[in-house]
Amino acid sequence: ENYLKEIDVEHIEVTWERHSKIFREFWTNKILNDSYSPLTDTDIDEIVLILDKNAKGSTKSTIAVAKVMIPQGVWRRLFKEIKAKKSLRNLLFNILNENDDKKLVDLINELDKANEGQKNSLTGKSGNAINSMLFAFNPKKYTAIVSLKHRKKVIDHFNLDCNVDFENDSLGKKIVYSNIAILEGFRKLGLISNPYFLSKFLYRKLKEEWIPSSESDNYISEDTPIGEIDEEEFSESKSTFYME
């Protein structure tokens, strides 16, 4: 309650309504629309500002999903690849629109299999890219804790009920049920809040409890193939590094 008094709740809620609308329209009007081609860097950069606090043009006042740790150039290549591959974009759009948890698990696993071997940062063990997109598309349903590594730390530290084996379960099960575990777990503890506010509260007020101070954040997502990053992209990512 004290944290919510420190922030402009109404402004942030309105911003996420606008962000989600922009992200959804980006999919329908630009990604799925065959007559709109090709995607420009400007098209993509507007969306990355919503997804990633480290994005080009981000400031301390920018409201974004999280520090996704994917360099700008990698984001651009990823969205251009999604646009170019009809099967990939349709599958991903189905994922973003799916409300049934079991079906969502299957769709994400299908995406993980279809994207196997593709060095585009879309799927991988941390889940940063897909989780940031899920939140932006439906910010009332998903946590803004996009890293599966961080989700596990939150779940373990606060002893939340969770049926996920983070070492052996499928990517779909880890993404879907870790999200449920965090949101439902904190509701049971009495923290009934907007998922974005809950996520930021955990980072801004309680982070030292569940992430040991000896652990430092990496500038680059562990899902990003290092061989695909050039020096300019790495420097740009570092220059826009902000706290959650």
Side-chain angles (χ1 to χ4, degrees):
E1 290 177 355
N2 288 335
Y3 171 66
L4 292 177
K5 293 176 183 177
E6 296 176 7
I7 62 178
D8 190 337
V9 170
E10 183 178 359
H11 170 66
I12 295 173
E13 288 179 337
V14 169
T15 297
W16 274 114
E17 288 180 7
R18 183 174 67 251
H19 279 354
S20 183
K21 184 174 184 289
I22 291 171
F23 189 55
R24 286 169 176 263
E25 289 178 348
F26 170 72
W27 273 91
T28 55
N29 297 337
K30 297 181 180 180
I31 294 280
L32 299 176
N33 183 1
D34 287 328
S35 65
Y36 190 95
S37 184
L39 285 179
T40 67
D41 287 347
T42 301
D43 291 330
I44 297 168
D45 289 351
E46 179 185 19
I47 297 306
V48 178
L49 264 176
I50 293 173
L51 299 175
D52 196 345
K53 184 65 176 176
N54 285 17
K56 179 181 180 182
S58 180
T59 67
K60 290 183 179 180
S61 63
T62 297
I63 297 174
V65 180
K67 290 186 303 181
V68 186
M69 306 300 200
I70 295 176
Q72 196 79 14
V74 178
W75 275 120
R76 289 172 177 172
R77 292 196 294 273
L78 171 57
F79 276 111
K80 288 175 182 178
E81 182 175 340
I82 293 169
K83 170 71 174 177
K85 296 182 178 180
K86 190 170 185 177
S87 60
L88 178 61
R89 75 194 194 206
N90 288 341
L91 178 54
L92 189 49
F93 189 64
N94 288 339
I95 287 170
L96 296 175
N97 278 285
E98 184 57 63
N99 290 314
D100 182 275
D101 293 327
K102 292 182 179 179
K103 291 180 181 178
L104 182 57
V105 169
D106 291 339
L107 286 171
I108 294 174
N109 288 339
E110 183 180 345
L111 175 66
D112 190 32
K113 183 177 181 179
N115 197 53
E116 188 175 2
Q118 303 300 310
K119 297 180 179 180
N120 56 19
S121 299
L122 179 58
T123 54
K125 60 182 179 180
S126 67
N128 289 21
I130 184 66
N131 281 326
S132 65
M133 292 186 202
L134 284 167
F135 179 89
F137 203 85
N138 193 346
K140 293 183 179 180
K141 181 178 179 180
Y142 295 99
T143 175
I145 301 172
V146 299
S147 164
L148 289 175
K149 180 180 178 181
H150 280 194
R151 289 187 184 184
K152 183 179 187 302
K153 287 181 180 294
V154 168
I155 289 166
D156 290 347
H157 180 78
F158 294 100
N159 197 29
L160 305 179
D161 290 336
C162 184
N163 64 347
V164 175
D165 182 338
F166 282 90
E167 293 297 324
N168 300 307
D169 280 341
S170 68
L171 181 65
K173 184 175 181 180
K174 286 187 284 189
I175 285 175
V176 173
Y177 288 102
S178 63
N179 178 71
I180 293 172
I182 290 172
L183 297 182
E184 291 300 320
F186 281 103
R187 286 192 185 104
K188 290 179 182 178
L189 293 175
L191 274 74
I192 302 173
S193 181
N194 175 299
Y196 184 78
F197 297 143
L198 172 61
S199 303
K200 297 310 166 184
F201 171 68
L202 289 170
Y203 277 107
R204 292 173 179 168
K205 297 297 182 181
L206 298 180
K207 188 175 181 180
E208 292 182 359
E209 291 190 20
W210 56 274
I211 298 183
S213 58
S214 60
E215 293 188 16
S216 59
D217 290 314
N218 295 319
Y219 286 120
I220 304 299
S221 167
E222 57 188 318
D223 288 346
T224 300
I226 300 300
E228 298 294 309
I229 301 169
D230 61 31
E231 289 298 322
E232 181 179 353
E233 289 173 353
F234 183 75
S235 298
E236 188 174 78
S237 177
K238 290 177 69 175
S239 69
T240 55
F241 183 78
Y242 296 107
M243 293 299 293
E244 289 275 0

